[in-house]
């Protein structure tokens, strides 16, 4: 019998603590999402408010005709999906289900963490960037604390994928979630971009990125190439900047990122290559192995 010492949690107890932590996070994030959507959009739905809709979502006037708030259906779907996945993670950890630790890490780092950008955009738009550092720090802690509880050394991913390089493969699945999230960020701001090529590329990147993330978690070989295709689809977004008309910016940091990424042909080329480079770097051993098998 192995003694864990009086102050050391057993693996089962540690998983239960992680489950309770993520369960609390699930409830907290559900309430935070409701508050966020109310403060960012629904509280402006009042008598006399001007409403419209386009491919970005629904708009309501805050100070007509100069200031509008946009509600993207992708953000509603993303928040709902996050709450559901956190709930599944908590349940899996509590019941000790296989792959629960890997699934929880994928949810925390690939689905929840990117949405911290919504919070930074919120304080940038409505509070002039105040509390920006607080939002980033809070988001990092919310992800790190349960991740530390889920971490079990070499055993963390063993019940998901015992083969060498499992952390790298999970990292690629996380990257696919980030890629899909980045594409939804473009769709959220599509009212600023006239290009339908970019819109179509972003839409394809969302769908293929999500499929690749799920396929990678299910250890499917096709998911590797789906990830490459998703990165290629996302490359159409900066490419279209060379064909689009002049854009007008509100001055927030999201628009500044767009300017930095598309201010010249060289920057556009780099912006197109970054997603492909990240996907290839993470999946290189598996992609090369797949190609070797085809040549054999």
């Amino acid at each position: 019998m192995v003694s864990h010492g009086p102050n050391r949690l057993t693996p089962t107890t540690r998983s239960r603590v992680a489950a309770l932590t993520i369960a609390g996070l699930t409830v907290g994030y559900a309430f935070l999402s409701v508050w966020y959507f109310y403060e960012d959009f629904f509280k402006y739905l009042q008598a006399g408010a001007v409403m419209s809709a386009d491919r970005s979502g629904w708009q309501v006037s805050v100070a007509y005709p100069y200031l509008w708030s946009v509600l993207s259906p992708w953000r509603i779907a993303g928040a709902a999906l996050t709450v559901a996945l956190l709930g599944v993670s908590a349940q899996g950890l509590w019941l000790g289900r296989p792959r629960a630790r890997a699934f929880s890490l994928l949810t925390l780092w690939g689905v929840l963490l990117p949405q911290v950008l919504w919070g930074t955009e919120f304080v940038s738009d409505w509070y002039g960037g105040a509390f920006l550092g607080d939002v980033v720090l809070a988001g990092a802690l919310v992800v790190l604390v349960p991740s530390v509880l889920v971490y079990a050394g070499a055993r963390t991913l063993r019940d998901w994928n015992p083969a060498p390089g499992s952390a790298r493969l999970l990292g690629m699945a996380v990257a696919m979630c980030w890629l899909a999230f980045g594409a939804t960020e473009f769709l959220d701001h599509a009212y600023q971009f006239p290009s339908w090529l970019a819109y179509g590329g972003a839409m394809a990147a969302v769908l293929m990125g999500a499929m690749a993330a799920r396929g990678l978690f299910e250890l499917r070989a096709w998911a590797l190439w789906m990830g490459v295709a998703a990165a290629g689809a996302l490359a159409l977004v900066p490419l279209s900047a060379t064909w689009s008309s002049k854009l007008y910016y509100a001055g927030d940091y999201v628009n500044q990122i767009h300017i930095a990424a598309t201010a010249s042909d060289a920057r556009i080329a780099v912006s197109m290559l970054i997603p492909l480079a990240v996907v290839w770097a993470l999946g290189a051993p598996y992609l090369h192995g797949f190609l070797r098998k085809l040549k054999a």
Side-chain angles (χ1 to χ4, degrees):
M1 181 180 293
V2 178
S3 174
H4 294 277
N7 296 320
R8 187 174 178 181
L9 297 176
T10 66
T12 300
T13 303
R14 192 181 182 92
S15 292
R16 292 286 178 90
V17 173
L20 291 173
T21 302
I22 294 178
L25 178 58
T26 304
V27 175
Y29 194 69
F31 280 105
L32 179 63
S33 297
V34 172
W35 176 87
Y36 165 75
F37 289 121
Y38 173 77
E39 287 292 323
D40 195 51
F41 184 82
F42 287 104
K43 76 176 186 180
Y44 301 109
L45 294 177
Q46 51 189 316
V50 179
M51 291 284 297
S52 65
D54 63 11
R55 60 186 185 173
S56 298
W58 303 277
Q59 297 92 34
V60 60
S61 62
V62 177
Y64 184 82
Y66 305 106
L67 184 60
W68 296 74
S69 185
V70 181
L71 176 62
S72 168
W74 292 101
R75 296 202 177 188
I76 296 176
L81 177 65
T82 304
V83 171
L85 293 180
L86 286 171
V88 172
S89 299
Q91 184 183 46
L93 289 169
W94 183 264
L95 297 176
R97 289 174 177 166
R99 309 191 303 174
R101 287 192 293 267
F103 186 82
S104 299
L105 292 173
L106 177 62
T107 299
L108 290 168
W109 291 89
V111 182
L112 177 63
L113 185 60
Q115 294 177 23
V116 173
L117 294 178
W118 293 350
T120 60
E121 186 179 357
F122 178 82
V123 297
S124 177
D125 286 344
W126 300 115
Y127 297 97
F131 315 112
L132 194 62
D134 297 333
V135 171
V136 173
L137 179 60
L141 289 175
V142 161
V143 170
L144 282 172
V145 171
S147 296
V148 170
L149 292 171
V150 167
Y151 181 73
R155 296 182 291 107
T156 304
L157 302 179
R158 190 171 296 167
D159 62 349
W160 169 63
N161 181 17
S166 56
R168 186 188 193 117
L169 196 61
L170 186 64
M172 186 174 178
V174 170
M176 288 297 98
C177 293
W178 274 87
L179 185 148
F181 176 83
T184 65
E185 282 291 283
F186 170 83
L187 296 175
D188 294 347
H189 296 85
Y191 62 90
Q192 293 178 304
F193 304 89
S195 172
W196 280 100
L197 175 68
Y199 190 86
M203 183 72 75
V206 172
L207 300 177
M208 290 192 293
M211 291 174 61
R214 178 168 182 174
L216 287 166
F217 188 77
E218 297 294 335
L219 305 179
R220 306 297 184 185
W222 57 261
L224 296 168
W225 297 104
M226 183 67 74
V228 175
L234 189 62
L236 294 176
V237 174
L239 175 64
S240 69
T242 60
W243 303 336
S244 61
S245 59
K246 183 178 179 181
L247 304 176
Y248 296 89
Y249 302 95
D252 62 26
Y253 80 98
V254 174
N255 291 325
Q256 296 304 317
I257 291 174
H258 172 77
I259 295 172
T262 61
S264 66
D265 289 343
R267 292 187 182 187
I268 289 172
V270 171
S271 300
M272 292 173 62
L273 290 174
I274 286 176
L276 287 165
V278 170
V279 170
W280 195 268
L282 289 170
Y286 313 104
L287 293 168
H288 291 165
F290 188 85
L291 292 174
R292 284 194 296 269
K293 288 182 179 179
L294 289 178
K295 293 178 180 179

